[in-house]
Amino acid sequence: MASRKTPAEQPRPATSRLASRLERATRVSVELLREEKAPHALIGGLALGLRSAPRATQDVDFAVAIDDAAAELLIHAFQNSGFRIDAVLVNKRDRSLATVRVREPGTKILVDLLISFCGIEAAIVRGASVERWRGLTVPVVSRGHLIAMKLLANRKQDQADLESLLRNLPAQDRRQALQAVAEIMAAGRADGRDLVRELRAVLRTSRPSWPKALEPRAWRPKRRR
């Protein structure tokens, strides 16, 4: 009797493989942050997907509310778990740790730990809410704080992310974003920029997304003849 051939396993799409790698890197990082009792919140592209609309990303980002001494211990903990340090960025003004970039050993995914990048990491962590992503429970930055961080970073991708975050923005998130950028300036992390003025300008130019049937021109009162 002829043996049956086992169907060859179909290769997973690249996007599915990347999502699995991101999930593993996030899970391992969260476990380490919890073990080291480092208050944290998920930020960046993954957080954007939970707060606004999903977009492609290839790294994992956290805000971590700790001082430089605790950050050194945290870095050692990541290294002892096999992570490799890719970069250490310091703030020009006071030489404090801004961001530590490490690479997860199993997936090679980059993980950014923002220690004092914007100066309000503690407020970001306090304002985070616990969400579920791919079976993982993790604190996620609020929409208002994410807007403030995107405005501060101000790269091309951050500008596109801002457009997504500002659609149908609730008044509470608007107020939080304005307060956050003011606190970033007070912390000396705005690099001379007037972030409050910049955000107000962006808010003025942003428009809500109307369903087609409810666009303003569709329900404006007709002029009397």
Side-chain angles (χ1 to χ4, degrees):
M1 184 177 178
S3 59
R4 294 182 179 179
K5 291 184 178 181
T6 303
E9 185 179 349
Q10 294 296 319
R12 289 186 298 169
T15 52
S16 177
R17 294 196 298 270
L18 176 59
S20 296
R21 291 168 59 218
L22 287 167
E23 177 189 344
R24 174 175 171 176
T26 304
R27 188 180 300 277
V28 173
S29 300
V30 167
E31 288 174 357
L32 276 169
L33 288 164
R34 288 173 177 167
E35 287 175 6
E36 296 302 311
K37 296 180 173 55
H40 60 278
L42 184 69
I43 57 174
L46 293 181
L48 180 78
L50 293 167
R51 293 302 182 210
S52 179
R55 75 155 170 84
T57 186
Q58 297 187 352
D59 54 14
V60 183
D61 306 278
F62 293 95
V64 189
I66 53 178
D67 58 22
D68 281 6
E72 290 185 15
L73 296 176
L74 181 64
I75 293 168
H76 288 314
F78 271 85
Q79 286 180 299
N80 291 337
S81 296
F83 281 74
R84 190 187 75 195
I85 296 179
D86 234 52
V88 176
L89 306 178
V90 298
N91 292 301
K92 295 179 181 178
R93 181 177 179 179
D94 55 12
R95 307 303 296 172
S96 60
L97 276 174
T99 303
V100 178
R101 173 169 289 179
V102 295
R103 193 179 294 272
E104 201 275 325
T107 61
K108 309 303 181 186
I109 291 288
L110 288 172
V111 179
D112 280 351
L113 306 172
L114 276 64
I115 310 299
S116 186
F117 167 75
C118 58
I120 63 165
E121 280 76 8
I124 290 169
V125 171
R126 288 195 303 269
S129 62
V130 176
E131 309 291 345
R132 287 188 65 80
W133 175 71
R134 295 180 67 89
L136 178 65
T137 302
V138 60
V140 179
V141 62
S142 68
R143 191 170 176 180
H145 282 147
L146 189 54
I147 287 170
M149 298 186 80
K150 291 293 180 182
L151 185 73
L152 176 63
N154 201 36
R155 298 163 299 188
K156 187 174 182 180
Q157 182 61 64
D158 297 308
Q159 294 168 9
D161 292 343
L162 264 179
E163 291 182 12
S164 174
L165 286 164
L166 292 175
R167 292 192 189 106
N168 302 317
L169 184 67
Q172 180 179 352
D173 293 330
R174 177 190 292 253
R175 289 192 297 270
Q176 185 185 55
L178 284 166
Q179 180 180 347
V181 292
E183 291 172 351
I184 290 171
M185 291 174 63
R189 295 290 184 261
D191 205 18
R193 294 163 57 195
D194 188 340
L195 296 180
V196 174
R197 183 176 181 180
E198 289 180 24
L199 181 55
R200 289 190 183 279
V202 172
L203 290 169
R204 281 196 301 271
T205 58
S206 66
R207 293 291 183 269
S209 300
W210 297 91
K212 191 170 183 179
L214 296 177
E215 288 179 356
R217 63 176 179 274
W219 45 262
R220 284 175 182 167
K222 294 182 179 180
R223 292 182 180 178
R224 292 183 180 180
R225 293 182 180 179

